[in-house]
Amino acid sequence: MIQSDAPLGVAMIGVGMVAGTHALAIRDATPPVRLVGVLARSADRAARFAQDASATLGAPVDVFPDLDAVAADPRVDAVVIVTPPDARLELVRPLARAGKPVLLEKPVGRTLAEAEEVVALCRAEGVPLGVVFQHRMRAASLAAAKLVAGGALGALGLVEISVPWWRAQSYYDEPGRGTYARDGGGVLISQAIHTIDLALALAGPVTEVTAMTATTRFHDMEAEDVAVAGLRFVGGAAGWLAATTASYPGGSESIALHFDAASLRLAEGVLDVAWRDGTRERHGAAATTGGGADPMAFTHDWHRSILEDFAAALREGRPPAVTGSDALAAHRLIDAITRSARDGRSVNLIEESRGS
């Protein structure tokens, strides 16, 4: 637990595409959060980002020479990691041993086993681990979670999960993007994981998966750019997932949950509730989510909410909104989809958990 009333001091590791979004989240966070410094594989890129961030934040941002300097700096109360997935373990291990809480951009690891190792490492060291699944922080998502928890919806019968996104080939021309070595896969772990996490948080665990994946003619990449899966949920609900980055020009992801008493549909930052008695509700406000050609076409407000919650969790001694353990549910489903498609068979997660 962090006792000080002073601004939470954070270091950021990684200065890639989403780092600017985190800088804006830090700028607008309440209570204040201070970006102490940044670390990146390229010292030149780190220096340029630190200069820009200093102007954005109105305070100097240092460049750390190495990871040991981050771990040893008493000004650093927590570390935000926004690197590609291939750097997770090598970064988290020394930080956890130094007692630095970690807020980690998705995914937790390239594979389920790697993600489980990261979570176990932080648990063993007693270090808080939060994950940036910012879609949970939308007003519409919070309203949906409240409705589901309230019990008035009745039993869940059907779940529809859709991620019809588009990425141009130039997106995958960046070295390592869409590869197993750097990213751990394609559309499932890099894009759809946000929607998968939110769907599972609302619908509960998946017990059985039958899936196929493919790489379409529209992309030259190693991993999949389309995945389709039939799903069976705890409690007996059926459903499906369809995710792609080959659906030009790209649309908003959506989740539809059909209960006995009402159907909930989350799309474009809005929750529509259709009660079976004819009553309708709407929560949230329309917002872009980066499903088209510009992957950064979304607000930083949800990242700010994740950061503010993480800072409050450290001060209050409670778990953050999305813990590392919470994030493993999405990783387990992605792993099951991948194996089902590869092996041409259904994967029963309940039987596997009993076997382990």
Side-chain angles (χ1 to χ4, degrees), residues 102-113:
V102 173
L103 181 60
L104 189 63
E105 264 289 347
K106 59 79 184 168
V108 179
R110 290 171 296 180
T111 64
L112 173 59

Side-chain angles (χ1 to χ4, degrees), residues 54-122:
S54 297
T56 297
L57 300 173
V61 176
D62 294 341
V63 176
F64 290 104
D66 52 40
L67 187 58
D68 289 340
V70 177
D73 196 320
R75 300 174 299 166
V76 175
D77 299 310
V79 180
V80 180
I81 298 178
V82 300
T83 64
D86 60 342
R88 294 291 187 257
L89 278 170
E90 67 184 65
L91 294 174
V92 172
R93 186 174 287 112
L95 295 173
R97 288 173 178 167
K100 302 292 187 184
V102 173
L103 181 60
L104 189 63
E105 264 289 347
K106 59 79 184 168
V108 179
R110 290 171 296 180
T111 64
L112 173 59
E114 192 170 284
E116 289 175 334
E117 188 173 352
V118 170
V119 172
L121 174 64
C122 290

Side-chain angles (χ1 to χ4, degrees), residues 204-220:
V206 167
T207 61
E208 187 175 0
V209 175
T210 304
M212 66 152 283
T213 61
T215 307
T216 69
R217 62 186 289 117
F218 304 121
H219 293 133
D220 179 13

